[in-house]
Amino acid sequence: MPSPVVVFIGAPASGKSKIAKRVAALLQVPRIDTDKVVVAEHGPIADIFDNSGEATFRAYERAAVKDALQHRAIVSLGGGAVLDPDTQKDLTTVPVVLLTVSEEAVASRISDPKRPLLRDGIEAWKKLVAARMPIYSELAWNTFDTSAGDLDAIAEDIVSWISSGTPRQGVSS
Ligand SMILES: Nc1ncnc2c1ncn2[C@@H]1O[C@H](COP(=O)(O)OP(=O)(O)OP(=O)(O)O)[C@@H](O)[C@H]1O
Ligand SMILES: O=C(O)C1=C[C@@H](O)[C@@H](O)[C@H](O)C1
Ligand SMILES: [Mg+2]
């Protein structure tokens, strides 16, 4: 069965969707963003949370992740997708890149109301990230920070790592 070239995980607004798009273009490989799949199939994420609740969103998200992981593609996950135990299990066998971002750098990126879990702003982001970091770190084969530096340069660094055979380097602090 085909499997992803690389899967991006990380905090909300760490740059998963934007970086994945660039990496896919550089490698000429299709890109799948699981948030976009959920929106295409079920409508805006904020509406799903408001009308049906987070559990329904997570079920839609898990289905999108399960399908995405069966393609040779660059896959970007939603920030909370790794909370699902089956997704954690599935991610043990594919190259996983963790994108990180500092609290200072992310502050200006999270004003968009499309992220329902961040309606309380930076304090909510900090709590989410602190709770999830052990899972992100456990799954990561390599980590890239997006706080500074432009998106194209970061994408090129990630492509170099992929081209070198995705050696496991874990989490850099
Ligand atoms: N290195 C960077 N420099 C400047 N802006 C950045 C950088 N990385 C990401 N951004 C900006 O941060 C915002 C969030 O990026 P993106 O949507 O890719 O995050 P995400 O990790 O996919 O978030 P989510 O988990 O909510 O899907 C975008 O507006 C993007 O342009
Ligand atoms: O961090 C999260 O739990 C989320 C992040 C976004 O990518 C979306 O998947 C949704 O807003 C939930
Ligand atoms: Mg995204």
Side-chain angles (χ1 to χ4, degrees):
M1 193 195 295
S3 71
V5 174
V6 74
V7 178
F8 287 96
I9 63 170
S14 56
K16 301 179 294 296
S17 301
K18 301 272 180 183
I19 297 272
K21 191 174 180 181
R22 284 162 171 77
V23 169
L26 287 166
L27 292 175
Q28 303 264 283
V29 170
R31 171 186 72 125
I32 304 173
D33 184 276
T34 58
D35 278 342
K36 285 192 170 43
V37 172
V38 171
V39 171
E41 291 177 349
H42 304 285
I45 291 173
D47 291 355
I48 301 170
F49 269 76
D50 289 345
N51 300 330
S52 311
E54 179 170 352
T56 298
F57 171 77
R58 296 295 174 202
Y60 294 158
E61 178 175 56
R62 169 59 194 160
V65 171
K66 188 175 178 190
D67 181 76
L69 296 181
Q70 293 170 24
H71 291 81
R72 184 175 179 277
I74 306 296
V75 176
S76 46
L77 302 186
V82 298
L83 297 172
D84 186 286
D86 291 327
T87 293
Q88 291 174 19
K89 214 177 299 160
D90 291 346
L91 290 180
T92 56
T93 53
V94 290
V96 174
V97 166
L98 171 63
L99 295 183
T100 55
V101 58
S102 69
E103 176 186 329
E104 294 75 21
V106 87
S108 61
R109 299 186 194 171
I110 59 172
S111 50
D112 187 333
K114 75 177 187 198
R115 294 187 181 89
L117 294 179
L118 298 187
R119 286 179 179 143
D120 292 335
I122 192 71
E123 290 308 318
W125 183 90
K126 279 168 32 185
K127 268 195 212 139
L128 275 186
V129 177
R132 292 173 182 172
M133 199 43 92
I135 301 174
Y136 290 146
S137 303
E138 176 75 26
L139 293 170
W141 288 30
N142 202 356
T143 311
F144 294 82
D145 189 73
T146 71
S147 307
D150 73 57
L151 289 160
D152 290 321
I154 298 165
E156 280 166 22
D157 286 349
I158 294 169
V159 167
S160 296
W161 175 73
I162 293 169
S163 303
S164 72
T166 64
R168 286 186 192 242
Q169 293 171 347
V171 175
S172 50
S173 52

